[in-house]
């Protein structure tokens, strides 16, 4: 961390800031602006905590990760209050142990059950969000296929244009006139020529 700090200083970069919340339940590492929890280290999973005696700004603790079951080392640059933070974590251990003795160990089991339920709730919320997104995608695909599959007769005809520039003087499609006669009936169909029949 010290080496990285010197490199970042020379490059003009800053180490990202975090906020720590220390309680008898653990150490929470939060984003200082959004207050979003980045890491939640339960106290019974922390196995080591110390500040650097040569650099009063640096302290660390080791915590066993609940998901990967690996030991992770968290190192912090605390702007000259590292010793106070390690003492606070030590006090949290003392208070948690006293509470454990007073409750006869029931409190730890309750907290483990609550932590398990919270984790399950988080998993279900994530799964729920994914399912909502899938449903939305399927609805969008269904709308697209309905638009492409709609028959041509179902399209509402456009009203004829009154603009003289849009009007076509002659229709090349059919030589037969489909306009009604004056009494409202259609004229009889014109018989086809014999040459057209042979073709």
């Amino acid at each position: 961390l010290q080496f990285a700090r010197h490199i970042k200083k020379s490059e003009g970069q800053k180490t990202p800031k975090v906020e720590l919340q220390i309680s008898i339940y653990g150490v929470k590492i939060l984003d200082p602006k959004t207050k979003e929890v980045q890491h939640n280290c339960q106290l019974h999973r922390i196995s080591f905590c110390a500040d650097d005696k040569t650099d009063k700004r640096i302290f660390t603790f080791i915590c066993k990760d609940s998901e990967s079951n690996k030991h992770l080392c968290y190192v912090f640059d605390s702007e000259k209050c590292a010793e106070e933070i390690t003492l606070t974590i030590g006090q949290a251990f003392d208070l948690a142990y006293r509470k454990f003795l007073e409750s006869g160990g029931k409190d730890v089991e309750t907290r483990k059950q609550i932590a398990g339920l919270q984790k399950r709730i988080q998993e279900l919320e994530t799964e729920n969000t994914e399912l909502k997104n899938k449903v939305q995608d399927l609805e969008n695909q269904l709308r697209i296929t309905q638009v492409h599959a709609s028959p041509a007769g179902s399209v509402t005809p456009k009203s004829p244009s009154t603009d003289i520039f849009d009007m076509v003087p002659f229709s090349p499609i059919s030589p037969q006139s489909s306009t009604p006669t004056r009494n409202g009936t259609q004229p009889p169909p014109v018989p086809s020529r014999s040459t057209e029949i042979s073709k």
Side-chain angles (χ1 to χ4, degrees):
L1 180 67
Q2 286 173 326
F3 180 72
R5 191 168 63 195
H6 290 303
I7 295 293
K8 284 183 180 179
K9 243 183 205 179
S10 64
E11 291 176 351
Q13 296 178 359
K14 288 184 178 178
T15 308
K17 291 190 176 184
V18 292
E19 185 178 300
L20 293 181
Q21 284 184 356
I22 301 166
S23 70
I24 59 168
Y25 302 110
V27 178
K28 283 185 181 179
I29 304 167
L30 304 114
D31 184 284
K33 291 177 183 175
T34 63
K35 303 298 179 190
E36 183 185 346
V37 178
Q38 295 176 347
H39 301 280
N40 187 7
C41 305
Q42 296 170 335
L43 206 65
H44 67 275
R45 292 186 174 274
I46 296 174
S47 59
F48 177 81
C49 178
D51 53 282
D52 190 340
K53 300 305 174 191
T54 60
D55 189 340
K56 295 293 180 188
R57 295 172 55 158
I58 293 176
F59 79 96
T60 183
F61 65 85
I62 295 173
C63 180
K64 190 174 186 181
D65 186 45
S66 58
E67 292 177 9
S68 65
N69 233 14
K70 291 180 179 176
H71 288 86
L72 303 175
C73 182
Y74 295 88
V75 185
F76 300 91
D77 181 349
S78 62
E79 297 177 2
K80 297 182 182 176
C81 61
E83 194 174 357
E84 286 84 350
I85 294 170
T86 52
L87 287 171
T88 306
I89 294 172
Q91 288 170 352
F93 270 103
D94 288 339
L95 291 170
Y97 184 64
R98 282 183 204 161
K99 194 169 183 185
F100 170 77
L101 292 176
E102 287 170 9
S103 66
K106 292 176 185 176
D107 184 54
V108 174
E109 285 303 315
T110 306
R111 280 194 284 121
K112 281 182 181 177
Q113 288 175 356
I114 290 169
L117 289 170
Q118 285 175 339
K119 187 178 176 184
R120 183 67 183 138
I121 288 167
Q122 187 66 39
E123 287 170 357
L124 289 170
E125 283 177 352
T126 306
E127 188 180 339
N128 191 21
T129 306
E130 289 171 359
L131 288 172
K132 279 182 183 177
N133 291 338
K134 283 182 183 177
V135 167
Q136 188 65 42
D137 290 343
L138 289 172
E139 284 177 355
N140 292 339
Q141 287 176 359
L142 188 61
R143 282 192 200 118
I144 291 167
T145 53
Q146 283 178 346
V147 168
H148 289 307
S150 62
S154 68
V155 178
T156 55
K158 290 181 180 178
S159 59
S161 174
T162 55
D163 189 356
I164 59 167
F165 295 108
D166 288 343
M167 295 182 184
V168 180
F170 303 103
S171 175
I173 297 167
S174 169
Q176 297 177 6
S177 173
S178 62
T179 55
T181 57
R182 286 180 188 166
N183 64 358
T185 60
Q186 292 283 347
V190 178
S192 59
R193 296 179 186 170
S194 59
T195 56
E196 287 178 1
I197 292 169
S198 63
K199 285 180 183 175

